[in-house]
Amino acid sequence: MNAVLLIQCPDRSGLVAEVTRFLHERGGNIIRLDEHVDQAIDRFFMRVEWQLDNFEIESKEKIKQIFQERIGHKYDMQYEVHFTDYVPRMAVFATKASHCLYEIIYRTQSKSENWNVEIPLVISNRDSLRDNVEPFGIPYHFIPVEKGKKEEAEKKQLELLKEHNIDFIVFARYMQIITDDFIAKFPNKIINIHHSFLPAFIGPKPYHSAYERGVKIIGATGHYVTNELDAGPIIVQNIQHISHKDSVKDLIRKGRQVEKIVISEAIRLHLERKIIVSGNKTIIFD
Amino acid sequence: MNAVLLIQCPDRSGLVAEVTRFLHERGGNIIRLDEHVDQAIDRFFMRVEWQLDNFEIESKEKIKQIFQERIGHKYDMQYEVHFTDYVPRMAVFATKASHCLYEIIYRTQSKSENWNVEIPLVISNRDSLRDNVEPFGIPYHFIPVEKGKKEEAEKKQLELLKEHNIDFIVFARYMQIITDDFIAKFPNKIINIHHSFLPAFIGPKPYHSAYERGVKIIGATGHYVTNELDAGPIIVQNIQHISHKDSVKDLIRKGRQVEKIVISEAIRLHLERKIIVSGNKTIIFD
Amino acid sequence: MNAVLLIQCPDRSGLVAEVTRFLHERGGNIIRLDEHVDQAIDRFFMRVEWQLDNFEIESKEKIKQIFQERIGHKYDMQYEVHFTDYVPRMAVFATKASHCLYEIIYRTQSKSENWNVEIPLVISNRDSLRDNVEPFGIPYHFIPVEKGKKEEAEKKQLELLKEHNIDFIVFARYMQIITDDFIAKFPNKIINIHHSFLPAFIGPKPYHSAYERGVKIIGATGHYVTNELDAGPIIVQNIQHISHKDSVKDLIRKGRQVEKIVISEAIRLHLERKIIVSGNKTIIFD
Amino acid sequence: MNAVLLIQCPDRSGLVAEVTRFLHERGGNIIRLDEHVDQAIDRFFMRVEWQLDNFEIESKEKIKQIFQERIGHKYDMQYEVHFTDYVPRMAVFATKASHCLYEIIYRTQSKSENWNVEIPLVISNRDSLRDNVEPFGIPYHFIPVEKGKKEEAEKKQLELLKEHNIDFIVFARYMQIITDDFIAKFPNKIINIHHSFLPAFIGPKPYHSAYERGVKIIGATGHYVTNELDAGPIIVQNIQHISHKDSVKDLIRKGRQVEKIVISEAIRLHLERKIIVSGNKTIIFD
């Protein structure tokens, strides 16, 4: 079993030395260390993963407490500690399109992908994807979102998420705008796939807009959801070359391929604790 | 010597048959033929290149005239005929950055690039690139663009362009907005490189905006200049992956590489007569 | 309903004119036309797709017969005629890895992919993928290939293929070398995915070899199977950047993503009749 | 002024802690730190860059000596220390093709590229590139390599390299195979660009081989030169999609674009001290 520490704090000299000494002196064998200084804002970021086998602090709570006493509070650090024996619980939201949902379920169940995650439930505002989900033994919850009754629907969703101890949410082409209240409950814990190369073509129907504009490349963006539509911290982007031969339908088809890879990458990075959010940006230690 | 015919007209059955028969019956050996139907607007596009060696119509003017009589007027065609023995005359406009200018001069002079083009002059609103241009035997014209005196400067530019029989213009990172009058004199004959993946980050300082937004990919766009800023028909786009490690300076450095490739590609396509403009889009027969 | 004509023959003047006139005079509305001349071997290639709605030759057999009489025999053409109302029957062979198999089944069943194909059966030399196939209503045939008894196994396979009127075969990471006799029965009708960027790393364990060599890019190749191992005509290739951080296991994981896209592209091109094989190369009219 | 330390040694616990403490205790402010453990061979790699402004060890020689005494010898480390105030001296070798040479000279002279390097001389086995070099104020040495007299030529080359205190060499499409003796004098200090995606198409004429094989992607590889032809540690690779439309000439043209980017990247990484060679592989801390 390993522990992963994600740190950010004002930059100053000696931070790496202090953290690595803290771990080494307690018998923690560092597996991997990454650090970054954002010189524009003078801020330090670090990810360190170490083996817990011979680590002298045995309880998880104690690790956090002692780290806070010895180092955390001294440098005004924001940090998280994760443990690889915990299996995160991911809720997937979808609407009509099945390709991202399918890819996510496949990767979750495929041993060779090695995703450390469970999907306790899929939530959809339509009933039509049920047959894509239930055969895999995953409960499917149909929660319609009627006009003017969004909050009612969200209340039901939140109850389910709580009941199933959900850690984070993936919007696998979930075509509803959610309320700020909902987002506030999962800060940097909702991953969305937007089917354009943000910030181009914010909002619905990006492939139609791309077609209208006559671009030669389309893209997809995996990002955390914030209050501003399609403006949250970007995790992954990728693209696909297109040509005048491609109709809107072709763009949608070619885009699907990029979307499902991008969302899978974003989920993998989240699961492997390789993302630190800084303001509206991400540091990706991959 | 070859001729290239670029056609667009309302779609109807038999167009390829009629054009190819016209050429074949007159001894024209087709080297390459491309066609495209834009089904959204029911419009037909075609590029055909044929050898003139045994073509029975000898004069260039006659080719246009007879094609118009037999086919062009019948189908309401817009078309151009180009001949490969003509060497197009390209004016390059630049400001401060040298990388695109340099690449263009290099490719123009390199035999192996096989660009069929001449650069009779470079025009700049600064004097600082003179030493990058004159050693190659290309005249460098420094025409300052003072505030409120843009039209005066453009008048001088247009005189030079006329005097040198310029066919088309390349803005190799020319950092001035030009007037609609100027553009009207070179419709779809001004190629600009914009240093972002349009339509994201229109206007100046796109790399700064990209940095602020925290994107994971930057790009460059080669397009024809129209009255609306950075909104003309896109010819070529390409991208470069970036990461949180990249400062604005790094984006600018990495972007240069993409920019000079993209503008070179756009110029090559223009020179090889492989572009048809349809509304605000391009058909690229590469 | 459309027809697609795929032609190759020695190059000469007037071929496009003659074929398009043949179709036009009989009321065939051309939807799309592509042609290519390989000047190194003086050979002409053409793909033309036209609507059969008002085409005056009604029977499929007659189309072939009349085309042969009027044009085909005159120019020593090799050609195929396909009709879009026929649904090709594809057999998928697999061994242990499920990702390509899964992707293929998903795309076949997803309406939005618009694949014109049926999968009457999956054949495997292992029994372990049964649960990935049968839930989709596709019969799964476990045919073990024992040492020294390959021909016995192939006999069973061929019987099944015949019984189900299979048109073409996809090796979705099928880890057996097949006999020349088998290949001879499906010339340019077996699509294989090789998990390297051919011709680098021919044979088994290409990711291990790539790791050993320390390459910075891995790839996948979709190709038709010929008698020489991994040396058949290449249809599609794509790549993925890697780094020193990637273990063999990471290469395998990253490679899967490329493999499933590449094999899907190869199948799509085959289904849309966009491939002509010329010697050991392909002409792709996409 | 900064110092860069590149370390490799058998892996063991506490290495990062010890090195960072060493620097921190002496007032060294770490700018950037990267580490990697190759678990297949249990080997540790690290790059650390720190500011020398307040570093208490003032002389460069002392830094090396004290680091060796306190840390280096204890862990059986191989390491290099570089200082950013030193300007490395690069010799460029070329033959006929000018594109890589040109790109390298441009980047060296362009302030915005920020390459910390000088080119004291260009050596060629032909006289034809002289006019591409001398206008930039760089001496051009024409040293013909006659059949059977390679060692004589290399003797002259080595004298020039010594006389100009050359640190490393770039083969910018230098089309000669050099002797093992020559290579032994510049271990991991000769960067070559090979115009294929190695290990595919080793040796001369890779574009011809790529054309023959009918690949759909071509590439270029920047690597250090070792005794085995085109088999040294790979630094950078990149690719370009091609199609059946591309003749050998087109491949050569498209390849040039990739080659010059790849070689520039390899040089930049070498200059920024971001490469550690491990066996026949590279660790790239970019």
Side-chain angles (χ1 to χ4, degrees), chain A residues 3-50:
Chain A
V4 175
L5 185 59
L6 296 173
I7 297 171
Q8 59 175 300
C9 65
D11 189 30
R12 46 176 289 184
S13 189
L15 290 165
V16 175
E18 186 135 352
V19 174
T20 53
R21 187 165 62 168
F22 174 87
L23 298 175
H24 180 56
E25 286 180 353
R26 284 159 184 81
N29 185 30
I30 293 176
I31 294 299
R32 183 163 159 190
L33 181 151
D34 296 273
E35 61 91 53
H36 171 65
V37 176
D38 184 335
Q39 288 175 335
I41 58 171
D42 232 355
R43 198 159 177 84
F44 172 83
F45 302 88
M46 183 173 172
R47 180 191 188 277
V48 59
E49 181 166 358
W50 73 97

Side-chain angles (χ1 to χ4, degrees), chain C:
Chain C
M1 180 177 43
N2 296 343
V4 174
L5 185 58
L6 296 173
I7 297 171
Q8 58 175 301
C9 65
D11 189 30
R12 45 176 291 184
S13 190
L15 289 166
V16 175
E18 186 135 352
V19 174
T20 54
R21 187 163 64 168
F22 174 87
L23 298 175
H24 181 55
E25 285 180 355
R26 283 158 184 82
N29 184 30
I30 292 176
I31 293 300
R32 182 161 159 191
L33 181 150
D34 296 273
E35 61 90 55
H36 171 65
V37 176
D38 185 335
Q39 289 176 333
I41 57 171
D42 233 354
R43 197 159 179 83
F44 173 83
F45 301 88
M46 183 172 171
R47 180 192 187 277
V48 58
E49 180 166 359
W50 74 98
Q51 292 174 322
L52 290 174
D53 301 359
N54 301 309
F55 201 53
E56 69 182 29
I57 317 176
E58 277 172 24
S59 101
K60 293 175 181 178
E61 287 65 35
K62 275 262 161 148
I63 293 177
K64 290 180 199 174
Q65 181 199 319
I66 298 178
F67 182 79
Q68 174 63 12
E69 287 167 16
R70 301 292 157 86
I71 299 186
H73 87 277
K74 203 159 67 181
Y75 299 105
D76 195 15
M77 281 181 179
Q78 289 174 251
Y79 60 92
E80 306 167 24
V81 194
H82 299 283
F83 301 92
T84 55
D85 67 339
Y86 178 74
V87 181
R89 300 171 68 77
M90 167 172 77
V92 183
F93 282 51
T95 295
K96 249 174 60 181
S98 66
H99 57 290
C100 288
L101 177 62
Y102 214 79
E103 184 79 14
I104 292 167
I105 292 174
Y106 172 68
R107 297 208 189 207
T108 301
Q109 304 211 337
S110 159
K111 272 191 192 126
S112 47
E113 285 297 323
N114 210 19
W115 277 18
N116 181 36
V117 72
E118 247 179 280
I119 307 182
L121 80 168
V122 168
I123 290 175
S124 176
N125 57 326
R126 302 229 183 173
D127 206 22
S128 56
L129 295 171
R130 188 177 293 278
D131 291 348
N132 296 80
V133 173
E134 289 183 345
F136 297 96
I138 301 168
Y140 184 88
H141 295 268
F142 167 41
I143 301 179
V145 183
E146 285 166 46
K147 259 200 176 161
K149 300 191 176 171
K150 191 187 290 279
E151 275 154 41
E152 210 171 287
E154 288 192 355
K155 208 182 143 214
K156 283 185 206 160
Q157 293 170 348
L158 287 166
E159 277 166 13
L160 278 169
L161 299 176
K162 199 175 172 190
E163 182 189 325
H164 287 88
N165 296 310
I166 292 305
D167 294 299
F168 73 106
I169 299 166
V170 173
F171 284 176
R173 299 290 311 272
Y174 180 62
M175 304 308 278
Q176 288 284 329
I177 293 171
I178 54 173
T179 65
D180 292 359
D181 282 353
F182 190 110
I183 296 168
K185 290 196 171 66
F186 290 90
N188 294 330
K189 285 180 175 167
I190 306 172
I191 298 173
N192 183 46
I193 178 77
H194 184 73
H195 40 317
S196 86
F197 182 77
L198 288 174
F201 309 127
I202 287 170
K205 305 238 169 204
Y207 292 127
H208 291 76
S209 307
Y211 178 82
E212 281 311 312
R213 178 61 187 90
V215 293
K216 299 298 185 189
I217 291 178
I218 53 170
T221 305
H223 66 97
Y224 286 123
V225 173
T226 58
N227 293 349
E228 197 181 334
L229 181 65
D230 297 332
I234 292 171
I235 305 166
V236 182
Q237 295 190 295
N238 218 331
I239 60 104
Q240 170 82 35
H241 289 266
I242 58 165
S243 85
H244 63 270
K245 292 182 198 165
D246 293 303
S247 64
V248 173
K249 241 174 110 178
D250 294 323
L251 300 197
I252 292 170
R253 174 176 61 79
K254 292 188 172 182
R256 273 202 300 272
Q257 205 152 271
V258 188
E259 290 166 34
K260 67 192 202 186
I261 288 176
V262 165
I263 198 160
S264 299
E265 272 300 280
I267 293 170
R268 181 184 66 80
L269 292 167
H270 186 92
L271 291 174
E272 297 182 354
R273 313 299 184 185
K274 288 181 166 166
I275 309 172
I276 301 181
V277 174
S278 165
N280 203 41
K281 298 185 187 183
T282 60
I283 317 299
I284 308 285
F285 289 128
D286 192 22

